[in-house]
Each structure stands twice: as structure tokens, then as C-alpha cells.
Amino acid sequence: MNLKRQDLLRTSAFIAGEWIKTPKTFKVTNPSTGEVVAEVSDCGEDETRKAVERASEALSGWSSRTAKERSDILRRWYELIMDYQDDLGLILTLEQGKPLEEAKGEIAYGASFIEWFSEEARRIYGDTIPGHQSDKRIITLRQPIGVCAAITPWNFPNAMIARKAGPALAAGCTMVVKPAESTPLSALAMAYLAEEAGVPPGVLSILPASEPAKVGRVLTSHPLVRKLSFTGSTAVGKELMRQSAETVKKLSLELGGNAPFIVFEDADIDQAVEGAIASKYRNSGQTCVCANRIFVQSKIAGEFTEKLIEATNSLKVGDGLQQGVEIGPLINQEAVDSINELMRDAESKGGTIYQSPEGKGLSGNFYVPTVIKNATTEMKLHGEEIFGPVSPVYQFETEEEVIELANDTPYGLACYFYGSDHAQIWRVAEGLEYGIVGVNTGLISTPVAPFGGVKESGFGREGSRYGIEEYTELKYICWDIGE
Ligand code: SIN
């Protein structure tokens, strides 16, 4: 691997400031080529318990530093990540597959959370509340929760750690992270730079593991872990929630989505197509906020769909290291199989499939971006998160009908709509049961806004001033000042 700083390629686990080689290792492979990128230490229960105990020992030293001291260290971490953005981007592309430019974009996106929370560290305010009796004074404090755990996904190997570790460390918590088994290298490189920035031993540990359930079980059952933040599927989120109930842990769960993307007949069609492409094909369709169901009002459905097919066909698919590639591979063969299954089902139920002829020769984990015309609610992909570059287009007649269709899912993470009638924009934004609403935009991710879902998409918010509150406990002091 051709890195400016070769030492960023770490293969040992990072536990309490030590780089630890475990007897067992596992392979990290490049989803574009199937080649082995590295062999990484494989953590189990013992390493997890050790990391949690060290995190607990480090807690009082870290939380008693001034907010400015923590802020300065996080700021330095942010700067180091940006200094080595190219190297971190390359590591990310090699283990995850996304095109290099997009991978570098993710590094900047992740770093922006650390920057944001380095600033928020100094603004964790309490209140004074008028007392209920003349001799009482009431004060609130926000204090760090304690040892936190994070279980993070492969689709954003850097950013999902940054937006958990950033606020946790800013608030004075310590954190143990279990990155996804397919993408541990980005996590380890981040930890290496955190160490260089001055994050003390024990404050941040990274546990690569080929058997995530073993590590997860310790994290969810250990009494010293006071909070778990998880990004991933709803099924796994529910299991972690069940496991965490025993020790009543605080949870933040960012789970699956089934995002509707609605285009009303008075929308700017070109702008809507551009937004659909941005939302649908980011990370080859592998994000929880990707447009999953595209609803177009019937009067403009023909024109919109033709333009969407044309724009989809122009996307260049290939190895993320090739110049100009916009769509990398899917993460593994299982992902390809699951999309093929959804496609067979859609075709058998009357869907018309449009794929660029140029992509037809692609094999391995690559999937040609696809548009499905005449999508219906009977198709499996209406109810499931596609997690790949497939755009089903449905038609609708009225606002009431489309709000009902859009809300007809147990999920509620992100949704999008395009239109120009201001009264309708308010009605629809209020009527959609989602945590995030994009109006005339397909890109809603930013550290300054509260990211998170409702219903079975989970709870808790990441980013913004609300994101840091997730890592604090609210305490109130009732003070009797005497007569
Ligand atoms: C996700 O897919 O979980 C996160 C996407 C984002 O931050 O935009």
C-alpha cells in the first residue's frame, strides 16, 4: 500500500494505549479484487473485558480535565486526520471499496464531527431553576455518562466512529469501539492518530474481531459499560437492546431505513433527478439514508424516469482506485445475492428493469446501477432496505396517497421530497414520520444537524448540540440555603 505514512496501516488491536497482537488473526479483503489487504488481530471476550476495565480506570483522569484541555486534544485529532486525509482515504477504499474521492470525502466528513465536538466540549451547560420553596435553589449539571461502547458498521468505517467517539470524548466519557469485521483498518488508523493527538491511554480502545457477537455480548452485559451506541441493522439493534436490558444501559441506536423520495408535479425535475442520484447512489446505495422508494406524481413520471435512467446509465462503475469511477463494488457476494433476489421478485411482479449495457460484463461484487419502472407495493423491495444501487420508481396521484405510502413502513430514518408549493412543503414535512426530512435536496448529512430516526429506525441523535447530550447524564441539585 502506497501511503505517505506507512505507520498508519495498523494491524494490532489498540487496548488502553497498547498495540496488542493477539494469537489469532483474521483477513481483511478488498471487495473490488478479493485480494487480502492485511491480517488483523482478532479480539475476543478477554480483550474486551480488559479494554472496558482500562476505560473505567481512565475515566476519572479524563473527565476531570478541563473542557478546554479535552477540546484541544480533539482539535489536534481532527487536524491530524485532515493532514493524512489521502492516506486514510486510500486505506478506506482498499478495505471498503468506495471510490477514492468519495473515501476522502468520508474522511473529511468524519473529521468534521471531531472538529464540531471539540468545539461543543466547551458548551456543556447546566441551568439554574427557580426553586419551589423560598429557601431552595435548584441547579442542573450535565456529567459524562462513563464508559461507553460503540459498535460501528462497514459502510462508513471512519465517519461512524468519529460521530460517536467525538462527542463521547468531548463530554468526558471513555470509549471502547468494535469496528465492523470487514473494515477494521480505518478504525485502527484513527486510533493511531488519536494517540498522537494526545488522547490518554484507556480513553479510546479499538477491538477488531472476526466474531462480533462475542465482543458485543461482553459490551452489552458488562456493568462498567454505561452506554452503547450502535449503527447497523434493525435486527441486530433489537438484539443488542435485549442484551443491554439486564444492566439497563443507555442506548443510541441508528438502525435501518426505507427512505421515500417523493417528487411532486410542480418540482424542478432536473434538480429532483440530481437529488435522486446523489441520495440513491452514494456509497453504491449502501447507506441507511439512501432513497429506497422513489414516488413520482403521475403527470411528470414519464419525464422524470427517462431522465433518471439517462443519469443512472452515465455512472461509471469499477474499482474505486480507477480514475473517474463513481460506483464501487458492494461489500461482498452476499450483498450481491440479496439484491439479485429482490430484482427477480420485482421482475416477476411486473417491474421493468433498466441497466446500462456498458455495465453488463461486470462480475464479482460489482452491481450495475439499475432503475425499475412500474414498481409496486407488492414487491419485496417496497418493504426492505435495498442497500445497493437500485432505484424503484412508483407513481402516485395525490398528496394524501403518497404520505400514506411513504409512512407505510416500520422504519423512519430519512425521507426526501421535491416540490415548490410552500403550504404543501410544510404539510408534507410535518406529515412524514421520519427523523430527517430533505426538502429539495438529496443530501442531508452534516455534523451540525441531529441525525437519527424514529420507529424501528432507532432513537438517539448524532451530530449537532443534541449529539453531545447523548453522552451526558442530567443531574439536579436541590440546595436548602436555610432561613
Ligand atoms: C448511515 O448510513 O448509517 C449514515 C449515513 C450518513 O451519515 O450520511
Side-chain angles (χ1 to χ4, degrees):
M1 201 181 292
N2 197 8
L3 301 173
K4 247 192 304 183
R5 262 188 72 172
Q6 206 56 41
D7 54 345
L8 286 173
L9 184 62
R10 317 297 302 171
T11 55
S12 299
F14 183 61
I15 303 176
E18 286 178 59
W19 293 92
I20 292 177
K21 278 201 187 312
T22 56
K24 252 177 77 195
T25 59
F26 66 100
K27 292 183 172 62
V28 178
T29 54
N30 178 339
S32 281
T33 60
E35 281 162 18
V36 175
V37 182
E39 289 219 19
V40 175
S41 284
D42 197 357
C43 296
E45 281 117 341
D46 290 347
E47 288 82 6
T48 311
R49 275 190 282 271
K50 180 173 168 186
V52 169
E53 283 156 20
R54 297 291 179 275
S56 176
E57 286 158 21
L59 187 63
S60 64
W62 181 244
S63 60
S64 61
R65 292 202 186 200
T66 64
K68 175 159 165 42
E69 283 174 303
R70 288 198 301 272
S71 168
D72 288 347
I73 291 175
L74 286 172
R75 175 88 206 168
R76 181 77 192 118
W77 190 19
Y78 153 74
E79 286 165 354
L80 284 168
I81 291 174
M82 289 311 293
D83 286 350
Y84 298 105
Q85 183 184 13
D86 289 356
D87 282 352
L88 296 173
L90 180 57
I91 292 171
L92 202 158
T93 293
L94 288 173
E95 66 176 348
Q96 201 274 345
K98 66 178 67 173
L100 188 56
E101 280 316 306
E102 194 175 339
K104 288 189 210 166
E106 180 183 334
I107 302 303
Y109 176 49
S112 71
F113 283 97
I114 295 171
E115 180 190 35
W116 172 267
F117 286 110
S118 75
E119 292 155 359
E120 287 299 293
R122 302 179 71 180
R123 295 182 227 302
I124 304 176
Y125 299 140
D127 317 290
T128 55
I129 299 174
H132 56 301
Q133 288 163 350
S134 59
D135 58 352
K136 295 290 188 304
R137 300 294 179 270
I138 296 182
I139 302 146
T140 68
L141 304 179
R142 284 206 167 268
Q143 293 182 303
I145 290 184
V147 176
C148 299
I151 301 182
T152 57
W154 50 263
N155 61 344
F156 290 91
N158 174 297
M160 296 304 103
I161 293 176
R163 79 177 181 196
K164 297 178 194 309
L169 270 54
C173 298
T174 55
M175 182 166 256
V176 177
V177 180
K178 192 214 71 64
E181 52 276 28
S182 34
T183 56
L185 299 174
S186 295
L188 294 168
M190 284 175 84
Y192 190 61
L193 293 177
E195 189 184 19
E196 196 166 315
V199 172
V203 170
L204 179 69
S205 291
I206 308 280
L207 305 172
S210 68
E211 292 180 83
K214 283 188 179 169
V215 173
R217 177 65 74 184
V218 177
L219 294 176
T220 52
S221 61
H222 204 301
L224 289 176
V225 175
R226 292 313 319 141
K227 171 173 175 120
L228 170 71
S229 177
F230 169 70
T231 297
S233 72
T234 295
V236 174
K238 287 180 182 176
E239 179 54 31
L240 295 172
M241 200 171 171
R242 274 189 285 270
Q243 291 177 15
S244 299
E246 203 52 46
T247 46
V248 196
K249 292 194 197 318
K250 238 181 174 187
L251 293 170
S252 292
L253 300 176
E254 200 260 271
L255 309 177
N258 184 1
F261 186 103
I262 302 167
V263 190
F264 288 104
E265 61 191 23
D266 59 356
D268 176 325
I269 296 183
D270 292 326
Q271 201 196 354
V273 168
E274 201 184 305
I277 295 283
S279 163
K280 176 71 249 184
Y281 297 115
R282 177 168 168 238
N283 198 14
S284 305
Q286 304 172 110
T287 87
C288 303
V289 293
C290 281
N292 208 53
R293 298 170 293 157
I294 302 178
F295 297 106
V296 190
Q297 206 155 13
S298 56
K299 194 169 157 201
I300 55 158
E303 183 182 349
F304 175 89
T305 313
E306 286 320 308
K307 288 186 167 170
L308 182 68
I309 292 171
E310 198 185 318
T312 300
N313 284 350
S314 72
L315 295 169
K316 191 169 169 204
V317 187
D319 188 320
L321 294 184
Q322 269 169 34
Q323 195 66 27
V325 160
E326 293 155 295
I327 305 280
L330 299 186
I331 191 70
N332 54 32
Q333 186 59 45
E334 229 181 305
V336 176
D337 294 345
S338 116
I339 293 174
N340 280 333
E341 171 55 32
L342 291 175
M343 295 297 286
R344 271 193 293 276
D345 174 76
E347 216 168 359
S348 74
K349 291 174 180 157
T352 322
I353 313 285
Y354 292 87
Q355 283 185 327
S356 164
E358 281 182 41
K360 286 272 155 63
L362 287 167
S363 58
N365 296 336
F366 293 100
Y367 204 93
V368 188
T370 303
V371 175
I372 305 177
K373 237 170 151 174
N374 313 321
T376 69
T377 54
E378 279 71 49
M379 293 175 184
K380 277 191 194 162
L381 46 70
H382 178 69
E384 284 179 32
E385 194 169 27
I386 301 170
F387 240 61
V390 174
S391 301
V393 183
Y394 305 70
Q395 285 192 38
F396 71 91
E397 301 298 332
T398 66
E399 180 187 313
E400 294 70 30
E401 177 196 359
V402 80
I403 291 183
E404 200 174 314
L405 281 167
N407 290 340
D408 177 27
T409 169
Y411 299 105
L413 185 55
C415 63
Y416 309 86
F417 66 93
Y418 279 69
S420 57
D421 172 344
H422 286 190
Q424 182 179 58
I425 287 173
W426 271 113
R427 280 194 308 272
V428 176
E430 287 169 0
L432 289 167
E433 296 165 355
Y434 287 82
I436 305 166
V437 186
V439 183
N440 293 331
T441 177
L443 293 174
I444 40 67
S445 300
T446 158
V448 309
F451 188 106
V454 300
K455 293 160 74 179
E456 292 189 26
S457 289
F459 47 80
R461 293 294 178 265
E462 296 191 307
S464 80
R465 71 184 164 91
Y466 303 103
I468 203 158
E469 288 183 2
E470 301 277 334
Y471 292 90
T472 65
E473 294 282 16
L474 187 62
K475 177 184 279 180
Y476 102 80
I477 300 170
C478 182
W479 187 346
D480 186 333
I481 60 167
E483 288 312 309

